[in-house]
Amino acid sequence: MFDTHELGRRPGALQRLSRTVEAPKDLGIPEVIHVPEGRPVDIELRLESVMEGVLVTGTARASAEGECVRCLEPLQQDVEVDFQEMFSYPDTDDRGRRKAAADDDAEDDEDMIPLEDGMFDLEPLLRDAVVLALPMQPVCREDCPGLCSECGASLADDPDHHHDAVDIRWAALQGLAGTIQDGEKDNMSGTASDVQDAAEKQEK
């Protein structure tokens, strides 16, 4: 939670904050890439008081980790996200006027998050920004060749790795050809044996 009391409600008032916080649980894309719980997140905030409330503009930096979708090796990625949100005063503006007095104001209020006793929670805003910034399919490097689809070997470790491709449409014919070759060998063996037997009979 961040406190806005020091900022005050005078329009135009400005406050800058720099903090390092611990990453909350599930900050990122589950089972894909995320900022581990408890890891430091550096946050720089600019708080500006306006008529409707407090405009919060910030930048967050952290280190995410995950798994390459191609080679399945662990990876780390630096994350930097920018965000902005308006946090409204709950009932009145700095003049004491009820903001819900006009229909247009009431509609605008629906798009703003109310301050709670001058405090605002940055976690939902930070979570949304980080999720949008992280890749849905992280890779360890742009040209990662991945794994062999047949045996699972890492193609990065063995660039020349390959398997002799056999077209399944010719597989049956290859088997038939092998059978014919074996039959021809048997026939040739049988013919040679017959010739030898005939020669022996003539000698007798």
Side-chain angles (χ1 to χ4, degrees):
M1 298 292 287
F2 289 80
D3 193 346
T4 65
H5 286 99
E6 292 185 10
L7 179 66
R9 290 196 175 190
R10 182 173 59 83
L14 187 66
Q15 183 180 12
R16 297 184 183 275
L17 298 174
S18 295
R19 295 221 189 138
T20 298
V21 300
E22 293 185 354
K25 185 179 180 180
D26 298 330
L27 181 59
I29 306 172
E31 300 181 2
V32 178
I33 186 169
H34 67 287
V35 180
E37 183 178 3
R39 179 164 293 183
V41 179
D42 296 326
I43 297 177
E44 295 180 3
L45 295 179
R46 179 178 183 271
L47 311 183
E48 183 179 0
S49 178
V50 295
M51 292 291 292
E52 298 84 1
V54 178
L55 178 63
V56 177
T57 305
T59 300
R61 300 178 182 86
S63 177
E65 63 181 36
E67 186 178 82
C68 177
V69 296
R70 296 179 186 171
C71 66
L72 306 183
E73 290 294 323
L75 61 84
Q76 287 196 345
Q77 178 175 326
D78 292 333
V79 183
E80 181 173 328
V81 296
D82 297 322
F83 50 86
Q84 187 176 71
E85 185 63 72
M86 172 70 76
F87 292 88
S88 64
Y89 298 125
D91 297 317
T92 61
D93 61 18
D94 62 329
R95 297 179 181 178
R97 179 177 61 87
R98 294 189 62 84
K99 295 194 300 177
D103 293 339
D104 291 341
D105 291 338
E107 291 178 1
D108 292 341
D109 290 347
E110 294 179 356
D111 297 329
M112 293 187 290
I113 303 173
L115 291 168
E116 298 181 5
D117 193 24
M119 310 282 286
F120 66 89
D121 184 5
L122 195 63
E123 182 177 327
L125 183 60
L126 177 63
R127 190 181 299 279
D128 290 345
V130 169
V131 169
L132 291 175
L134 291 175
M136 292 295 295
Q137 294 186 322
V139 292
C140 58
R141 65 174 200 248
E142 292 298 326
D143 60 346
C144 175
L147 303 176
C148 173
S149 60
E150 295 190 31
C151 67
S154 173
L155 299 180
D157 296 336
D158 184 8
D160 297 326
H161 177 85
H162 71 282
H163 296 272
D164 293 330
V166 177
D167 193 323
I168 59 174
R169 295 173 295 180
W170 298 103
L173 292 179
Q174 286 185 341
L176 179 60
T179 302
I180 292 175
Q181 289 178 355
D182 292 341
E184 288 177 350
K185 290 179 181 179
D186 293 340
N187 291 336
M188 291 179 63
S189 298
T191 301
S193 178
D194 293 342
V195 172
Q196 184 176 359
D197 291 343
E200 289 177 354
K201 288 180 181 181
Q202 288 180 356
E203 292 176 358
K204 292 179 180 180

